PDB file of all heavy atoms in Angstrom:
ATOM      1  N   TRP B 504     130.988-171.564 272.434  1.00  0.00           N
ATOM      2  CA  TRP B 504     130.643-171.794 271.037  1.00  0.00           C
ATOM      3  C   TRP B 504     129.138-171.658 270.894  1.00  0.00           C
ATOM      4  O   TRP B 504     128.378-172.097 271.770  1.00  0.00           O
ATOM      5  CB  TRP B 504     131.078-173.199 270.607  1.00  0.00           C
ATOM      6  CG  TRP B 504     130.564-173.585 269.250  1.00  0.00           C
ATOM      7  CD1 TRP B 504     130.984-173.108 268.059  1.00  0.00           C
ATOM      8  CD2 TRP B 504     129.538-174.543 268.970  1.00  0.00           C
ATOM      9  NE1 TRP B 504     130.285-173.689 267.040  1.00  0.00           N
ATOM     10  CE2 TRP B 504     129.389-174.583 267.574  1.00  0.00           C
ATOM     11  CE3 TRP B 504     128.737-175.359 269.768  1.00  0.00           C
ATOM     12  CZ2 TRP B 504     128.455-175.407 266.951  1.00  0.00           C
ATOM     13  CZ3 TRP B 504     127.820-176.184 269.148  1.00  0.00           C
ATOM     14  CH2 TRP B 504     127.681-176.210 267.742  1.00  0.00           C
ATOM     15  N   ASN B 505     128.702-171.052 269.856  1.00  0.00           N
ATOM     16  CA  ASN B 505     127.277-171.125 269.552  1.00  0.00           C
ATOM     17  C   ASN B 505     127.076-171.131 268.055  1.00  0.00           C
ATOM     18  O   ASN B 505     127.943-170.723 267.278  1.00  0.00           O
ATOM     19  CB  ASN B 505     126.476-170.012 270.229  1.00  0.00           C
ATOM     20  CG  ASN B 505     126.897-168.657 269.771  1.00  0.00           C
ATOM     21  OD1 ASN B 505     126.849-168.357 268.576  1.00  0.00           O
ATOM     22  ND2 ASN B 505     127.347-167.827 270.690  1.00  0.00           N
ATOM     23  N   ALA B 506     125.924-171.650 267.656  1.00  0.00           N
ATOM     24  CA  ALA B 506     125.641-171.774 266.231  1.00  0.00           C
ATOM     25  C   ALA B 506     124.146-171.649 265.989  1.00  0.00           C
ATOM     26  O   ALA B 506     123.329-171.974 266.863  1.00  0.00           O
ATOM     27  CB  ALA B 506     126.150-173.112 265.702  1.00  0.00           C
ATOM     28  N   ASN B 507     123.799-171.129 264.855  1.00  0.00           N
ATOM     29  CA  ASN B 507     122.396-170.994 264.443  1.00  0.00           C
ATOM     30  C   ASN B 507     122.241-171.567 263.056  1.00  0.00           C
ATOM     31  O   ASN B 507     123.108-171.378 262.203  1.00  0.00           O
ATOM     32  CB  ASN B 507     122.013-169.515 264.304  1.00  0.00           C
ATOM     33  CG  ASN B 507     121.993-168.808 265.617  1.00  0.00           C
ATOM     34  OD1 ASN B 507     121.035-168.904 266.363  1.00  0.00           O
ATOM     35  ND2 ASN B 507     123.070-168.091 265.909  1.00  0.00           N
ATOM     36  N   TYR B 508     121.132-172.211 262.850  1.00  0.00           N
ATOM     37  CA  TYR B 508     120.794-172.609 261.484  1.00  0.00           C
ATOM     38  C   TYR B 508     119.329-172.261 261.257  1.00  0.00           C
ATOM     39  O   TYR B 508     118.479-172.544 262.096  1.00  0.00           O
ATOM     40  CB  TYR B 508     121.022-174.114 261.276  1.00  0.00           C
ATOM     41  CG  TYR B 508     120.422-174.614 259.978  1.00  0.00           C
ATOM     42  CD1 TYR B 508     120.930-174.186 258.757  1.00  0.00           C
ATOM     43  CD2 TYR B 508     119.326-175.475 259.992  1.00  0.00           C
ATOM     44  CE1 TYR B 508     120.359-174.619 257.564  1.00  0.00           C
ATOM     45  CE2 TYR B 508     118.752-175.915 258.807  1.00  0.00           C
ATOM     46  CZ  TYR B 508     119.272-175.480 257.591  1.00  0.00           C
ATOM     47  OH  TYR B 508     118.701-175.890 256.420  1.00  0.00           O
ATOM     48  N   ALA B 509     119.043-171.626 260.159  1.00  0.00           N
ATOM     49  CA  ALA B 509     117.648-171.314 259.829  1.00  0.00           C
ATOM     50  C   ALA B 509     117.326-171.868 258.451  1.00  0.00           C
ATOM     51  O   ALA B 509     118.043-171.601 257.480  1.00  0.00           O
ATOM     52  CB  ALA B 509     117.430-169.803 259.850  1.00  0.00           C
ATOM     53  N   TYR B 510     116.271-172.657 258.385  1.00  0.00           N
ATOM     54  CA  TYR B 510     115.753-173.132 257.112  1.00  0.00           C
ATOM     55  C   TYR B 510     114.433-172.410 256.886  1.00  0.00           C
ATOM     56  O   TYR B 510     113.531-172.463 257.735  1.00  0.00           O
ATOM     57  CB  TYR B 510     115.545-174.651 257.149  1.00  0.00           C
ATOM     58  CG  TYR B 510     114.811-175.157 255.927  1.00  0.00           C
ATOM     59  CD1 TYR B 510     115.453-175.167 254.683  1.00  0.00           C
ATOM     60  CD2 TYR B 510     113.487-175.599 256.005  1.00  0.00           C
ATOM     61  CE1 TYR B 510     114.777-175.614 253.557  1.00  0.00           C
ATOM     62  CE2 TYR B 510     112.817-176.050 254.885  1.00  0.00           C
ATOM     63  CZ  TYR B 510     113.467-176.054 253.658  1.00  0.00           C
ATOM     64  OH  TYR B 510     112.801-176.481 252.539  1.00  0.00           O
ATOM     65  N   THR B 511     114.305-171.696 255.795  1.00  0.00           N
ATOM     66  CA  THR B 511     113.145-170.837 255.605  1.00  0.00           C
ATOM     67  C   THR B 511     112.546-171.013 254.223  1.00  0.00           C
ATOM     68  O   THR B 511     113.228-170.799 253.216  1.00  0.00           O
ATOM     69  CB  THR B 511     113.555-169.353 255.753  1.00  0.00           C
ATOM     70  OG1 THR B 511     114.312-169.211 256.949  1.00  0.00           O
ATOM     71  CG2 THR B 511     112.337-168.466 255.825  1.00  0.00           C
ATOM     72  N   VAL B 512     111.287-171.374 254.194  1.00  0.00           N
ATOM     73  CA  VAL B 512     110.546-171.350 252.944  1.00  0.00           C
ATOM     74  C   VAL B 512     109.578-170.190 253.059  1.00  0.00           C
ATOM     75  O   VAL B 512     108.879-170.054 254.053  1.00  0.00           O
ATOM     76  CB  VAL B 512     109.773-172.660 252.713  1.00  0.00           C
ATOM     77  CG1 VAL B 512     108.930-172.564 251.443  1.00  0.00           C
ATOM     78  CG2 VAL B 512     110.732-173.830 252.630  1.00  0.00           C
ATOM     79  N   SER B 513     109.572-169.314 252.074  1.00  0.00           N
ATOM     80  CA  SER B 513     108.681-168.165 252.109  1.00  0.00           C
ATOM     81  C   SER B 513     108.098-168.067 250.716  1.00  0.00           C
ATOM     82  O   SER B 513     108.766-167.604 249.796  1.00  0.00           O
ATOM     83  CB  SER B 513     109.492-166.924 252.459  1.00  0.00           C
ATOM     84  OG  SER B 513     108.670-165.788 252.418  1.00  0.00           O
ATOM     85  N   GLU B 514     106.887-168.577 250.548  1.00  0.00           N
ATOM     86  CA  GLU B 514     106.406-168.674 249.175  1.00  0.00           C
ATOM     87  C   GLU B 514     105.101-167.934 248.952  1.00  0.00           C
ATOM     88  O   GLU B 514     104.256-167.830 249.834  1.00  0.00           O
ATOM     89  CB  GLU B 514     106.282-170.137 248.741  1.00  0.00           C
ATOM     90  CG  GLU B 514     105.281-170.932 249.542  1.00  0.00           C
ATOM     91  CD  GLU B 514     105.281-172.413 249.186  1.00  0.00           C
ATOM     92  OE1 GLU B 514     106.321-172.917 248.730  1.00  0.00           O
ATOM     93  OE2 GLU B 514     104.241-173.052 249.370  1.00  0.00           O
ATOM     94  N   ASN B 515     104.978-167.407 247.764  1.00  0.00           N
ATOM     95  CA  ASN B 515     103.754-166.793 247.313  1.00  0.00           C
ATOM     96  C   ASN B 515     102.720-167.915 247.179  1.00  0.00           C
ATOM     97  O   ASN B 515     102.936-168.871 246.454  1.00  0.00           O
ATOM     98  CB  ASN B 515     104.033-166.128 245.963  1.00  0.00           C
ATOM     99  CG  ASN B 515     102.842-165.391 245.434  1.00  0.00           C
ATOM    100  OD1 ASN B 515     101.724-165.906 245.419  1.00  0.00           O
ATOM    101  ND2 ASN B 515     103.074-164.178 244.979  1.00  0.00           N
TER     102      ASN B 515
END
Side-chain angles (χ1 to χ4, degrees):
Chain B
W504 171 72
N505 62 58
N507 292 280
Y508 168 66
Y510 171 71
T511 311
V512 176
S513 176
E514 63 186 27
N515 183 313

